[in-house]
C-alpha cells in the first residue's frame, strides 16, 4: 500500500483504536478518525457506558494529538433496530444473544466501510485483535490475533468479505500488554483506560435490569423444573437465563444446579447437574463463511462463546448452516451465541447456535 | 438592553414578555414551527412548568404562515406571539411586520427574533411594530457573546438576571464592554453588508443552478429568502457524511442541528417544512456565505463537491 493512502480509522475512544490510529499515522497514512454514535446510555452508571460523550472526547483528543481530522457519525437508529431490538427479542425468547457479532456485521464495519469510500479512503482500520491475510485467489483470510487472551476474531466472522478485503487490523500482531506500552510511548491520552468488559449498551452488566426498562414483556413469571418435569420453584422471567448459568437460579440443594435449557413457549427454565449440561453436537444457522462455503465436512475447531477454547469437532455444512459434532462433549452450548469454526488460526465461518 | 448574545436576548424576550403579564387561565402562546431553539426551548419549558399552551404555525414546503393563519391561531387566552424574521437554516423570510400588526390588533405582545436579519435586511425596530426584538453581534461580523434585546418604550418585561441595576434593573450584570463595542462597530458597517446582498443573491443563484445539475433538490427556495444561505438535499447521502467528506476537501459547511448528546441530528427546520419527506432533513447540506465570499470560492466548492459525489454515497 502506498504511503499516503487515506485510511478511515474507527475510533471508540478506547486505547486499542487510538493506538491503531497512531500506528497508521506513523506509517505515513492519511488518517481520518470516525466515531460512531450508537447509543445514549441511560441511568447514572456513567463509567464505561457506551458512546458516552467522554469516549467521543477521548477519540477527539487522540485525533488532535495525532493532528488528524475526527468526525462523529450518528448511527443510533441502525444500532437500535439491528442490534438492540433483536437482542431484546432474543432474550425474551430465552436465548443468549451475542449482539457484538450483529453490530460488526450489520452496523459498525459495513457502515464504516461505506463512509470510508465516501471520504475517499482506500482502507478501513479498527483496533481489533485479529489478523487479515491475503490468499492466493485474491480474497482474504481472517486469522486469530496473536494474543490468545485478547483474540477478537470470534466477533468478526460475520463481516462480509468485501469489507474484510479493505480492513486493516494493526493490533493483530500485538499482545495487549505491549499495545498499552506502545500507546504510552505514543503519549496517547487514554493509554491506561480500562478495557470495556460488558456489552457496550449495558455497561453495568445488568441485562435483566436493562430488559425490564426496555421490554414491557419482560418479567413474566414461570416454573423452574428439573429434567423429569418436577417443579422446583418460580422465576421472574426467562430473559437473562443462560444455558450453563449456575448463579441466580435461587433453588438451594445439595449439588450445584445449572440452567440446561429454556423452553420459550411454556416459559419453563430446566435445571440439572453439570453432567447434564454436556452436548455432543450443535446446529448453527444464519451462517457466514469467510471466503467460500466448504463443499464437504471437515475437521475444525469450534468456539461456542467468546472466552471458550475452541473445541475439536467434525463440521458439516448443511442447508441451514452447519452442524458440529464435538470430539469431547462441550458444556453450556447456549442458543443465540455464535459458533465460530476455525482451522488452526484461520476463521472458516460462523453462525448462531440453534 | 445589552445581553451576552442572541440566545439570551431571545430567552429574555420570550420569558420576559410572558412573565410581565398576569397569567390568564389556559394561557397560550403562538410561534412558527421553525423557530430557533433559543425561542422554541423557552416556550417548551413554559409549557412544561407553567402549563402554557402552544400553537406552532406550520411552514409546509417552506411557505411562511400567512398573517391570516396567525390571526386564526390567536385566542382570547393568547399572551405571546414569538416569531423569527429570517430562518436560521434556509434563510426563509417571514412577514413579521404583518405578524406584529395582527398581534397589536389582538392586543397580544409580539416578540421578533431578528438575529438572522441584522446585516442582511434593513432593520428599523420602531417600524416593525413589535414589542421586543432580539439581535446577535456575531451574525453580522461582530464578536460572539454580544447581543441585544430592543424593547418598546412602556412595555413591561420580567427579569431573568437579578442582582444589579444595569439596564434599569431588567438585566443585571456588567456587560462585556469590549464585545459590545465590537457589536456597535459591526452595526456601523451593517449597511455595507445589506448592500452586498444583491451580489450574493446572484452568486447563490448561479451556485444553486450548478447544485441542481449535480443532483441537489433545493429546500425552501421558492419563497423570499436572504441571500447568504443555500439549503439543499442529496438523495442517497447522509447529511453528516457529506459534510465530513467536504470538510476533508477543505469546505466547511453543515447539515442538521447540534443535538444535546454531542452529535448532530437531522434538521428540525426541514423536518417541519417537509414532514412527508424525511430524507430531505436526513441528507441536507447547508452552505452559508458572507460578504467575503467570491465566485472563486463557489468554484472551489463545486470542484470539491464533484470530487465527493463521484464516490459511493456515504
Amino acid at each position: 500500500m502506498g504511503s499516503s493512502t487515506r485510511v478511515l480509522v474507527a475510533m471508540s475512544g478506547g486505547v486499542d483504536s487510538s493506538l491503531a490510529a497512531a500506528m497508521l499515522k506513523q506509517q505515513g497514512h492519511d488518517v481520518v478518525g470516525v466515531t460512531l454514535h450508537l447509543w445514549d446510555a441511560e441511568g447514572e452508571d456513567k463509567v464505561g457506558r457506551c458512546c458516552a460523550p467522554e469516549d467521543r472526547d477521548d477519540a477527539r483528543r487522540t485525533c488532535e494529538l495525532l493532528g488528524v481530522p475526527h468526525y462523529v457519525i450518528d448511527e443510533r437508529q441502525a444500532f437500535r433496530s439491528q442490534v438492540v431490538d433483536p437482542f431484546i427479542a432474543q432474550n425474551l425468547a430465552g436465548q443468549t444473544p451475542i449482539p457484538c457479532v450483529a453490530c460488526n456485521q450489520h452496523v459498525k464495519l459495513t457502515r464504516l466501510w461505506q463512509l470510508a469510500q465516501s471520504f475517499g479512503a482506500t482502507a478501513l482500520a479498527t483496533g481489533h485483535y485479529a489478523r487479515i491475510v491475503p490468499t492466493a485467489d485474491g480474497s482474504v483470510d481472517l486469522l486469530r490475533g496473536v494474543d490468545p487472551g485478547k483474540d477478537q476474531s470470534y466477533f468478526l466472522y460475520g463481516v462480509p468479505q468485501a469489507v474484510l478485503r479493505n480492513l486493516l487490523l494493526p493490533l493483530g500482531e500485538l499482545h495487549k500488554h505491549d499495545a498499552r506500552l506502545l500507546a504510552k510511548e505514543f503519549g496517547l491520552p487514554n493509554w491506561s483506560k480500562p478495557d470495556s468488559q460488558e456489552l457496550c449498551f449495558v455497561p453495568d452488566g445488568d441485562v435483566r435490569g436493562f430488559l425490564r426498562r426496555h421490554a414491557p414483556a419482560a418479567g413474566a413469571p414461570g416454573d423452574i423444573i428439573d429434567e423429569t418435569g418436577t417443579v422446583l420453584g418460580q422465576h421472574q422471567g426467562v430473559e437473562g437465563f443462560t444455558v450453563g448459568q449456575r448463579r441466580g437460579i435461587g433453588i438451594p440443594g445439595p449439588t450445584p444446579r445449572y440452567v440446561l435449557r429454556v423452553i420459550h413457549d411454556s416459559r419453563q427454565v430446566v435445571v440439572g447437574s453439570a453432567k447434564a449440561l454436556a452436548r455432543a453436537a450443535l446446529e448453527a444457522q444464519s451462517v457466514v463463511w469467510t471466503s467460500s462455503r466448504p463443499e464437504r465436512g471437515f475437521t475444525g475447531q469450534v468456539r461456542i462463546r467468546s472466552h471458550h477454547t475452541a473445541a475439536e469437532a467434525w463440521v458439516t455444512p448443511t442447508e441451514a448452516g452447519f452442524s458440529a459434532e464435538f470430539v469431547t462433549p462441550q458444556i453450556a452450548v447456549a442458543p443465540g451465541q455464535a459458533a465460530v469454526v476455525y482451522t488452526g488460526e484461520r476463521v472458516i465461518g460462523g453462525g448462531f447456535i440453534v | 438592553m445589552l445581553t451576552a448574545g442572541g440566545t439570551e436576548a431571545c430567552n429574555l424576550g420570550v420569558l420576559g414578555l410572558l412573565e410581565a403579564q398576569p397569567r390568564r387561565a389556559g394561557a397560550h402562546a403562538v410561534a412558527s414551527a421553525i423557530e430557533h431553539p433559543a425561542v422554541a426551548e423557552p416556550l417548551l419549558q413554559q409549557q412544561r412548568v407553567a402549563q402554557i399552551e402552544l400553537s406552532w404555525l406550520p411552514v409546509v414546503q417552506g411557505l411562511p404562515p400567512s398573517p391570516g393563519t396567525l390571526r386564526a391561531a390567536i385566542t382570547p387566552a393568547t399572551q405571546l406571539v414569538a416569531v423569527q424574521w429570517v430562518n436560521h437554516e434556509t434563510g426563509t423570510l417571514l412577514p413579521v411586520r404583518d405578524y406584529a400588526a395582527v398581534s397589536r390588533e389582538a392586543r397580544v405582545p409580539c416578540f421578533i427574533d431578528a438575529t438572522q436579519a441584522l446585516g442582511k435586511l434593513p432593520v428599523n425596530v420602531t417600524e416593525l411594530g413589535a414589542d421586543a426584538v432580539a439581535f446577535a453581534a456575531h451574525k453580522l461580523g461582530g464578536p460572539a457573546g454580544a447581543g441585544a434585546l430592543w424593547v418598546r418604550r412602556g412595555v413591561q418585561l420580567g427579569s431573568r438576571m437579578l442582582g444589579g441595576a444595569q439596564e434599569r434593573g431588567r438585566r443585571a450584570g456588567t456587560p462585556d464592554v469590549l464585545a459590545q463595542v465590537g457589536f456597535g462597530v459591526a452595526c456601523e458597517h451593517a449597511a455595507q453588508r445589506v448592500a452586498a446582498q444583491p451580489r450574493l443573491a446572484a452568486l447563490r443563484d448561479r451556485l444553486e443552478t450548478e447544485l441542481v445539475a449535480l443532483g441537489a433538490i433545493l429546500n425552501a427556495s421558492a419563497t423570499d429568502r436572504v441571500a447568504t444561505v443555500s439549503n439543499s438535499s442529496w438523495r442517497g447521502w447522509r447529511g453528516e457524511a457529506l459534510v465530513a467528506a467536504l470538510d476533508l476537501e477543505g469546505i466547511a459547511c453543515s447539515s442538521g442541528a447540534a443535538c444535546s448528546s454531542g452529535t448532530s441530528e437531522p434538521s428540525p427546520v426541514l423536518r417541519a417544512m417537509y414532514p412527508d419527506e424525511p430524507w430531505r432533513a436526513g441528507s441536507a447540506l447547508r452552505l452559508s456565505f458572507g460578504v467575503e465570499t467570491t465566485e472563486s470560492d463557489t468554484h472551489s466548492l463545486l470542484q470539491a463537491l464533484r470530487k465527493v459525489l463521484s464516490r459511493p454515497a456515504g
Side-chain angles (χ1 to χ4, degrees), chain B residues 242-256:
Chain B
L242 186 53
V243 165
L246 284 169
D247 184 64
L248 287 169
E249 303 303 325
I251 305 292
C253 51
S254 79
S255 176

Side-chain angles (χ1 to χ4, degrees), chain A residues 17-33:
Chain A
S17 51
S18 298
L19 178 60
M23 290 169 75
L24 291 165
K25 166 80 180 173
Q26 193 183 45
Q27 288 165 23
H29 292 290
D30 171 11
V31 168
V32 177

Side-chain angles (χ1 to χ4, degrees), chain A residues 314-337:
Chain A
W314 178 255
V315 179
T316 313
T318 62
E319 206 164 304
F322 66 81
S323 65
E325 294 162 49
F326 295 111
V327 174
T328 310
Q330 298 295 303
I331 58 162
V333 178
Q337 288 279 294

